Amino acid sequence: MASGGVSVASLWTEVNRCGQNGDYTRALKALSKILHESRDDVTALHCKIVCLVQNGSFKEALNVMNTHSKVLGSEVVFEKAYCEYRLNRVESALKTIEGAAEQTDKLKELYGQVVNLPFLRLYEQEDYNIYVQLERYDDEYEEERKTNLAAVVAAMSQWEKAPSEDLGLPESTYELCYNSSCSLIGQGQFTEAFNKLQQAEELCRVSLADDSDVTEEDIESELAVIHSQMAYIMQLQGRTDEALQLYNQVIKLKPSDVGLLAVTANNIITINKDQNVFDSKKKVKLTNAEGVEYKLAKKQVQAIDFNKALLAMYTNQADQCRKLSSSLQSQNPGHPRPVLIQVAQLCREKQHSKAIELLQQFSDQHPESASEIKMTMAQLYLVQGHVTKACDVLRSIEEFKYKSGMVSALVTMYSHEEDIDGAIDVFKQAIEHYQSEQPGSAIHLALVREAANFKLKYGRKKEAISDLEQLWKQNTNDIHTLAQLISAYSLVDTDKAKSLSKHLPSADTMSFNVDVDELENSHGATYVRKKAAKVTGENLPKEQSQGEIKKKKKKKKGKLPKNCDPKATPDPERWLPMRERSYYRGKKKGKKKEQIGKGTQGAMAGASAELDASKTASSPPTSPRPGSASGSSTAPASNVVPPRQQKPAASGATRKKATQKKKKGGKGGW
């Protein structure tokens, strides 16, 4: 009796019924109860493994087989090989099949499926013996084997940069044509690869059009992988807008291949970079789908993980970025990219010293990957203004030490620091290297010439003599180098300079066959000659004076105002405002305006005159004010500047309108 009062027989009945109905989850519950009563029941264990496989739990099924390997023995060889095959563990699956005591029909069929799998894993070990074994088979799977072989060659070309071999495979199907285009992409032949993909698209449409059960949606779904590869080529060619549009079309189709969706979404993220991060965060979910790691090559999964860490950095998720980069570093201890991601995050946090320390530590532990790391260190030193330290780091990179670009960068930085001796030392080491490795080569002579020019520029003529002599010996007809050499010797050894000057060509041999008349009659020469004649005046007669050579521009007479009498004396007060002139008497345009005074607001001119006793006829003359002239009753009005007239008080409607304007201004009020 099983636990709960249920018999084992009834549990087996339940397992049988669930197996017939396809309810493997319920069957697993019944099998767990049976195994609880009998832990080593071989039949129950076998059934549990089958149920797990049917549910897609391949890892769990393998764990059960490994745990009970002594009890199960060779009973589950097929199930074990199948789980390894579905987990993309191709080598383990082949070893399991080949190690079986009896090659049953099921194992043979599974072996055919394994060898027909696109060997995205096998090319890393370069196990070509499998392809030799495939040539012995001649059955209905021959076309599939050729397709998979082409896929392996294409993967090797793309991921390992291995030279593509011409295996003589026909391109009769769209799969073979597609794999051929992938090989061309690995070789950098993007235009030819794009044409192959167009050919593959046509073959795919033709092959699927014959099937009446295939709809247009099915055809587009089958073409999704071809379109995604087309977009990848566009992205490599810099046509990012077109590539992004095609990528999004593939995403909208929602193909069943989770690997294709993951790769397409990852490529969209690489186009977005640090822009449109919201779209990238949505696309990154497609790369986390279940089973993606079993559909992609190892390097594809690695690239997607790198981009996840970078996206976390761009979205300011510092902790998540550090967590992902640390995990990547533990999985790929010798790969420099996880460390560079950590350094980039530290730089965003302004921790440059800690970033340099991390780079130095990795460089010491992994000298084989130190080139890229040291370049980053030099960049960080430059950001901090430590130019000399950056130069020291760059000169320690043996791989790039004598490259022309590196020499140019070092000389520029040393010149910026005014360390001329350091720059000359860089030239010296590079010249000595090429003198021993590639004497007389183009890059060797170019470095010698640049070194000589650099020394002459900074007044090191004595040091430039050896370089100039070396260049002149290589080409004795180089007059420019000979002239530089003579100039340098003139300060050091005048006798040597005189002896070298004998090698200079005579004036007759240096003359060129030039048609002077044609040169002078040319458009540019005519313009220059006329311009020069105006400036120098060489072609003018001698009796002409200098004053006649330069023609002065005539000043135009100013226009006089209308009704102007040129004989009349101008008004001396014409520059003053009208109100401040002595003869200004104000405007008289009506009785109302005459009553408006010029004093405070509301003052009346007439009323003030009536109340002024000094202006009445009967009033006696007032005494003069202090400082005024004696013998005159009033001061002269001609020299007094009258006060400025204030604006008259507005009426009700006018005042209301002015108040509104004042309030609209936003400052103050009436």
Side-chain angles (χ1 to χ4, degrees):
M1 294 291 292
S3 60
V6 182
S7 64
V8 176
S10 61
L11 289 173
W12 277 113
T13 303
E14 178 73 10
V15 171
N16 186 32
R17 184 174 63 254
C18 292
Q20 292 176 355
N21 296 333
D23 192 355
Y24 300 105
T25 303
R26 192 170 181 178
L28 281 171
K29 295 179 180 179
L31 287 167
S32 297
K33 295 178 181 179
I34 295 172
L35 289 170
H36 182 74
E37 295 294 328
S38 178
R39 185 174 181 275
D40 294 331
D41 189 335
V42 177
T43 306
L45 288 171
H46 198 168
C47 290
K48 182 178 181 179
I49 292 168
V50 172
C51 290
L52 290 171
V53 170
Q54 292 291 344
N55 284 342
S57 303
F58 304 113
K59 284 186 177 181
E60 190 175 349
L62 274 177
N63 291 334
V64 173
M65 285 182 273
N66 293 330
T67 304
H68 302 277
S69 58
K70 293 181 180 180
V71 178
L72 294 171
S74 59
E75 292 290 330
V76 290
V77 173
F78 172 78
E79 287 78 4
K80 183 179 181 181
Y82 182 76
C83 288
E84 291 170 341
Y85 156 70
R86 291 301 302 270
L87 292 173
N88 223 15
R89 302 174 184 177
V90 181
E91 284 189 335
S92 300
L94 287 174
K95 289 179 181 179
T96 302
I97 295 171
E98 293 170 354
E102 181 184 358
Q103 295 293 325
T104 61
D105 292 338
K106 291 194 301 182
L107 284 174
K108 289 180 180 179
E109 185 177 358
L110 180 60
Y111 181 78
Q113 291 178 348
V114 173
V115 297
N116 285 327
L117 182 74
F119 293 101
L120 296 177
R121 302 282 182 181
L122 283 178
Y123 77 87
E124 297 175 3
Q125 288 79 25
E126 300 181 2
D127 191 359
Y128 300 111
N129 294 328
I130 294 176
Y131 310 135
V132 177
Q133 295 175 8
L134 290 176
E135 296 297 329
R136 297 180 298 177
Y137 292 92
D138 186 11
D139 51 19
E140 65 273 15
Y141 298 112
E142 182 181 2
E143 195 70 31
E144 286 81 357
R145 292 193 189 97
K146 290 180 179 178
T147 301
N148 294 333
L149 179 58
V152 173
V153 174
M156 291 177 62
S157 177
Q158 280 193 302
W159 297 110
E160 296 295 329
K161 303 301 179 184
S164 179
E165 298 181 18
D166 186 8
L167 302 175
L169 297 174
E171 297 178 1
S172 54
T173 64
Y174 71 92
E175 293 95 342
L176 286 168
C177 201
Y178 172 85
N179 291 332
S180 176
S181 71
C182 293
S183 298
L184 292 171
I185 292 174
Q187 299 170 23
Q189 303 179 22
F190 302 132
T191 305
E192 294 81 356
F194 194 86
N195 295 334
K196 286 286 183 184
L197 288 173
Q198 290 178 329
Q199 184 181 347
E201 182 180 5
E202 294 176 3
L203 289 173
C204 182
R205 290 187 182 277
V206 171
S207 62
L208 297 178
D210 298 336
D211 193 346
S212 58
D213 296 333
V214 178
T215 62
E216 184 64 27
E217 292 181 357
D218 296 334
I219 295 176
E220 290 298 326
S221 179
E222 188 69 20
L223 289 172
V225 64
I226 298 176
H227 290 160
S228 182
Q229 197 74 328
M230 284 181 172
Y232 176 64
I233 294 176
M234 292 176 182
Q235 184 178 353
L236 293 176
Q237 292 177 331
R239 299 154 58 188
T240 53
D241 292 337
E242 300 174 60
L244 194 60
Q245 184 178 1
L246 201 51
Y247 280 141
N248 287 322
Q249 290 179 6
V250 174
I251 295 290
K252 288 179 182 179
L253 289 173
K254 297 181 180 179
S256 58
D257 189 352
V258 292
L260 173 62
L261 281 174
V263 171
T264 304
N266 175 74
N267 292 347
I268 292 175
I269 292 171
T270 59
I271 291 177
N272 290 338
K273 295 182 180 179
D274 57 343
Q275 305 295 324
N276 201 3
V277 292
F278 180 74
D279 178 65
S280 297
K281 291 182 72 173
K282 291 195 300 182
K283 295 295 188 295
V284 80
K285 295 179 182 178
L286 297 175
T287 65
N288 297 326
E290 185 179 357
V292 168
E293 64 273 15
Y294 306 129
K295 291 288 185 178
L296 302 177
K298 181 180 178 181
K299 292 192 176 181
Q300 287 177 309
V301 176
Q302 188 184 72
I304 290 175
D305 290 339
F306 287 152
N307 289 330
K308 287 179 183 177
L310 287 172
L311 182 61
M313 183 186 71
Y314 288 137
T315 52
N316 297 323
Q317 296 175 298
D319 295 336
Q320 181 73 5
C321 177
R322 278 190 285 268
K323 182 180 178 181
L324 290 172
S325 57
S326 299
S327 175
L328 286 170
Q329 188 176 4
S330 61
Q331 296 172 11
N332 311 276
H335 204 294
R337 195 159 298 171
V339 179
L340 292 175
I341 294 174
Q342 295 179 42
V343 168
Q345 180 61 43
L346 289 171
C347 291
R348 289 171 72 91
E349 298 171 1
K350 307 300 182 183
Q351 301 183 34
H352 294 91
S353 301
K354 192 174 181 180
I356 292 174
E357 182 181 350
L358 184 62
L359 290 171
Q360 185 64 53
Q361 182 180 356
F362 181 84
S363 176
D364 296 337
Q365 294 175 355
H366 304 279
E368 69 282 356
S369 305
S371 299
E372 189 174 357
I373 295 297
K374 288 184 177 180
M375 295 284 281
T376 309
M377 287 177 62
Q379 181 65 30
L380 291 179
Y381 275 130
L382 287 175
V383 169
Q384 293 180 304
H386 304 318
V387 181
T388 305
K389 290 183 178 180
C391 292
D392 295 339
V393 172
L394 291 176
R395 295 183 72 173
S396 65
I397 306 176
E398 295 295 333
E399 185 179 355
F400 305 124
K401 188 176 181 180
Y402 303 115
K403 299 288 185 181
S404 56
M406 181 63 75
V407 173
S408 176
L410 287 170
V411 169
T412 302
M413 287 190 285
Y414 276 125
S415 301
H416 179 270
E417 292 296 294
E418 298 182 358
D419 187 359
I420 309 304
D421 294 331
I424 292 175
D425 188 55
V426 171
F427 275 123
K428 180 182 177 182
Q429 291 185 10
I431 291 171
E432 289 176 354
H433 170 76
Y434 286 105
Q435 180 69 37
S436 59
E437 298 292 333
Q438 304 175 23
S441 61
I443 187 171
H444 176 219
L445 297 177
L447 283 172
V448 173
R449 180 168 294 281
E450 290 299 325
N453 292 335
F454 182 83
K455 293 171 184 177
L456 291 173
K457 177 181 178 182
Y458 288 95
R460 305 289 185 89
K461 293 188 176 182
K462 187 175 181 180
E463 299 177 25
I465 288 175
S466 59
D467 297 331
L468 293 171
E469 283 184 339
Q470 186 177 355
L471 289 172
W472 188 57
K473 288 177 181 178
Q474 291 288 335
N475 183 12
T476 55
N477 295 325
D478 189 354
I479 302 174
H480 178 70
T481 303
L482 179 60
Q484 288 180 318
L485 184 59
I486 294 171
S487 176
Y489 264 122
S490 63
L491 299 176
V492 180
D493 190 350
T494 55
D495 296 335
K496 184 67 176 178
K498 290 179 181 179
S499 61
L500 288 174
S501 62
K502 297 177 181 178
H503 296 281
L504 289 172
S506 61
D508 297 335
T509 57
M510 293 180 65
S511 62
F512 300 98
N513 296 325
V514 179
D515 190 347
V516 179
D517 295 335
E518 183 179 357
L519 184 63
E520 288 183 349
N521 292 329
S522 63
H523 176 72
T526 305
Y527 173 77
V528 172
R529 187 171 65 253
K530 288 181 178 179
K531 185 176 180 181
K534 290 180 180 180
V535 176
T536 58
E538 292 178 358
N539 297 329
L540 296 176
K542 294 182 180 180
E543 59 270 10
Q544 290 183 355
S545 62
Q546 292 294 331
E548 294 176 351
I549 295 174
K550 295 182 180 180
K551 295 181 179 179
K552 294 183 180 180
K553 293 183 179 179
K554 294 181 179 180
K555 292 184 179 180
K556 294 183 179 180
K557 294 182 179 180
K559 292 184 179 180
L560 297 174
K562 294 181 179 180
N563 303 324
C564 176
D565 187 3
K567 297 180 180 180
T569 304
D571 185 6
E573 298 183 7
R574 63 185 181 278
W575 307 115
L576 296 175
M578 182 61 72
R579 296 182 185 277
E580 297 180 5
R581 299 182 186 180
S582 60
Y583 50 81
Y584 178 70
R585 293 293 179 267
K587 296 180 180 180
K588 298 179 181 181
K589 292 185 179 180
K591 296 181 180 180
K592 290 183 179 180
K593 290 193 175 183
E594 287 180 0
Q595 298 174 0
I596 299 174
K598 299 179 183 178
T600 57
Q601 186 173 356
M604 298 295 291
S608 60
E610 292 175 0
L611 296 175
D612 190 359
S614 62
K615 293 184 179 181
T616 58
S618 60
S619 61
T622 59
S623 60
R625 291 184 179 182
S628 61
S630 59
S632 63
S633 61
T634 58
S638 59
N639 295 330
V640 178
V641 179
R644 291 183 178 273
Q645 184 178 359
Q646 296 184 0
K647 293 184 178 179
S651 63
T654 307
R655 185 176 182 82
K656 184 177 181 181
K657 187 175 180 182
T659 306
Q660 291 176 354
K661 287 185 178 180
K662 189 68 176 180
K663 288 182 179 179
K664 188 176 180 182
K667 287 187 178 180
W670 289 92

